[in-house]
Amino acid sequence: MKKKTTNTRKILKEIKLTGIPTSPGIAMGPIYIFRPFQLNISELEGEVEDVEREIVLFDNAIEKVYRQLENAQRNSETYYKDQFSEIFESQKAFLRDPVLINEIKQEIRTAKCSAAFAISKILSEKSEYFINLESTYFRERAYDIIDLKQKLVNALLGIDVDYQLSTPAIVVAEMLSPSDTVNFNRNFILGFLTDKGGRTSHAAIMARGLRIPAVVNRYNLSQVLHEDDFLILDGFSGAIIINPTEETKREYEAKQKDFQAFEQRLYKEIDAETVTVDGAKIELLANIEFVHEVNDARINKAEGIGLFRTESFFIEKNAIPDEEQQFHFYKQVVEQMNGHEVTIRVLDLGGDKLLPQQSEEGELNPFLGWRAIRFLLDRPAIFRTQLRAILRASAFGNVKILIPMISSVEEVKKTLQLVEEAKASLRTEKQAFKEDIEIGVMIETPAAAMMAKILAEYVDFFSIGTNDLTQYVLAIDRTNEKVSKYFNTFNPAVLYFVENTIRIGKKKNLKVTLCGEFASIPEAIPLLLGMGLRSFSMNPFSLPGAKKIIRSLKIPECEQLYQKIKTMHTATEIEKACYQFVKNHISDLQYLK
Ligand code: PEP
Ligand code: MG
């Protein structure tokens, strides 16, 4: 149900605000304010007479919302194949979670409250919990829970939400759920402006998949804007312009045309080989966390998956999935990649990615604590299960195993031993797996980078994780906003370790991939090529831009750039020199973010 807005307000003059860009592109047009019915929880309070009736109503609401999700999923699959199916699957699984269902029923019985009140209370507590976690990923999963709460309460109160969009418009909402996103008519959506969410929220992931510009604002604009306002959204810079002047409109129309032409050029070259002007072949791989992202990797022509992060699957399940569940999860990705490389990283829990029980235990310095391989070696049963599941999935394609957070040879030796044991158990059970599966380590601690030469004797490949390497070399918490201005991978100390790893890999004939965010930064690409890197793994949507940059460079020029920056002392100088270098080769660099 959409609330009617009144037309008593004067149209605001041009207002320029800045939000967080979550999906690239420029959107311009009238707005459609989407306000699914909101209810104050206190309105639902009070004892009910017939508790068992509330239980039946609750069961019915679950079924109704489940069917709504199935319909939304079908709707989505008609247009977008299985691109977003996994998102709906996870929401549906949430509705079938017996622990959650019992918790809500328990609340109805003990508090003698209505089903709607119990749902609001329990799901609000859960979303609050997620919102307060350090990890952005979990903060944004909280919006899925809020969405389900809304849907269940609406189902109980008989409220239908209106997705009618009969003319092109920018959808403005407090937040959007995955089903909201696909329930609108795609042909009429110009852009999304929401008050909540971030780059990794499901709505943002889907907006990028659908190539719809999106921006998140922090000004509650869904409560401020009127249906008669006109809006410009800049999905590159995050600019939000309310009721622009004619001059601003012309400026953005030109930008929009420019970007569309740029995208067309970019996607025309999408099938071209990734080679430098002088013919050096460069490998471009994708980083993913979920099955639906394989599609993103494929449309952006990744040659394989260079980093398949597995921890989010565990955290989303809120538990340790068993071997069958894991096997099924990995196998889907491996099969969909059709024989192309899939490098599966074993659990990197800890730091800002915690299972609820871990976060309860608490650590003073979680990034220096019980994280990744340290956790796994202390929990061999969990590690064995994951290794067996990955090994079984390896029978279906080209799988490699990657070990995170290595800081000693002992950790590598123990892991190799556990892999051998997992292989032996599978052989006994006559289960198929890839006998010669490659095993590599993340180079993301200073210790690993210093010991690259030694580690090379034990493993088959290296993957440089510049996100953590920067954090640990510079001693800067990667999640702390207060020190984020010091977090710079262009710092010569970090670059020293990166180059050392690449050089040793080359000498020892080991493949080196760089899978941290640095791989997709336009100004970093020539520098890394100059250091000798030939394999990059990144967010799938950055791949076409990276290809364009690579195809406009010559290796000897990149090597000269690297020689030049070696004489520089500060990150600022280095970054500037690299930026200038790329700018000289690519005129429309502003769109490659
Ligand atoms: C890294 O540290 O650079 C990396 C790729 O791993 P994550 O971001 O998952 O820690
Ligand atoms: Mg890391």
Side-chain angles (χ1 to χ4, degrees), residues 9-15 17 221 224-226 228-230 242-245:
R9 190 193 60 152
K10 265 212 238 146
I11 292 189
L12 300 168
K13 288 239 182 69
E14 177 172 289
I15 298 178
L17 300 168
L221 287 178
V224 177
L225 294 173
H226 280 210
D228 46 12
D229 287 322
F230 188 94
I242 306 164
N243 298 324
T245 60

Side-chain angles (χ1 to χ4, degrees), residues 1-7 9 12 29-38 161-165 167-176 184 191-195 220-231 242:
M1 193 166 75
K2 197 183 80 182
K3 264 194 199 161
K4 281 260 172 277
T5 46
T6 45
N7 257 347
R9 190 193 60 152
L12 300 168
I31 63 174
Y32 175 86
I33 300 180
F34 176 65
R35 287 196 187 103
F37 189 73
Q38 299 284 342
V161 177
D162 179 9
Y163 291 101
Q164 258 179 36
L165 202 58
T167 51
I170 294 176
V171 174
V172 178
E174 185 188 357
M175 57 170 258
L176 287 168
F184 287 111
F192 290 124
L193 175 66
T194 53
D195 303 340
N220 287 330
L221 287 178
S222 71
Q223 304 301 320
V224 177
L225 294 173
H226 280 210
E227 301 275 359
D228 46 12
D229 287 322
F230 188 94
L231 206 58
I242 306 164

Side-chain angles (χ1 to χ4, degrees), residues 377-560:
L377 291 174
D378 279 352
R379 291 280 180 271
I382 297 176
F383 201 1
R384 262 188 219 113
T385 305
Q386 184 173 32
L387 289 172
R388 278 177 55 97
I390 297 175
L391 283 167
R392 285 173 58 198
S394 74
F396 297 84
N398 180 12
V399 173
K400 299 180 184 186
I401 298 177
L402 179 58
I403 320 165
M405 275 290 287
I406 286 293
S407 57
S408 74
V409 167
E410 285 88 340
E411 290 161 342
V412 179
K413 282 186 171 173
K414 282 183 190 156
T415 302
L416 296 179
Q417 175 65 31
L418 283 167
V419 173
E420 283 315 311
E421 284 170 20
K423 282 182 174 178
S425 66
L426 291 172
R427 269 184 222 114
T428 317
E429 294 165 25
K430 302 217 174 340
Q431 300 236 44
F433 65 90
K434 192 167 177 242
E435 279 284 353
D436 56 350
I437 192 162
E438 286 185 28
I439 299 176
V441 284
M442 292 283 297
I443 303 290
E444 55 183 349
T445 65
M450 295 275 285
M451 286 196 297
K453 206 165 142 192
I454 300 173
L455 290 171
E457 307 204 357
Y458 297 86
V459 295
D460 303 306
F461 64 95
F462 289 153
S463 194
I464 307 176
T466 42
N467 308 339
D468 278 314
L469 189 60
T470 310
Q471 154 165 275
Y472 295 125
V473 171
L474 303 181
I476 296 171
D477 181 343
R478 63 192 262 194
T479 61
N480 184 345
E481 291 292 323
K482 283 199 197 103
V483 288
S484 63
K485 61 176 183 283
Y486 303 112
F487 188 98
N488 193 333
T489 306
F490 285 100
N491 185 305
V494 187
L495 295 180
Y496 168 81
F497 282 118
V498 171
E499 195 276 336
N500 186 56
T501 309
I502 297 170
R503 187 164 28 81
I504 297 216
K506 200 167 169 188
K507 208 162 144 196
K508 299 276 178 182
N509 215 6
L510 240 64
K511 181 167 133 178
V512 180
T513 300
L514 194 145
C515 64
E517 289 301 304
F518 200 57
S520 63
I521 296 179
E523 40 278 52
I525 292 175
L527 180 60
L528 292 168
L529 290 174
M531 289 178 177
L533 188 75
R534 297 293 179 265
S535 174
F536 296 68
S537 192
M538 63 188 75
N539 149 18
F541 294 97
S542 299
L543 291 168
K547 178 178 281 190
K548 182 179 169 71
I549 294 175
I550 290 166
R551 287 177 54 81
S552 64
L553 300 173
K554 285 187 187 147
I555 295 289
E557 288 174 359
C558 297
E559 285 169 351
Q560 275 165 20

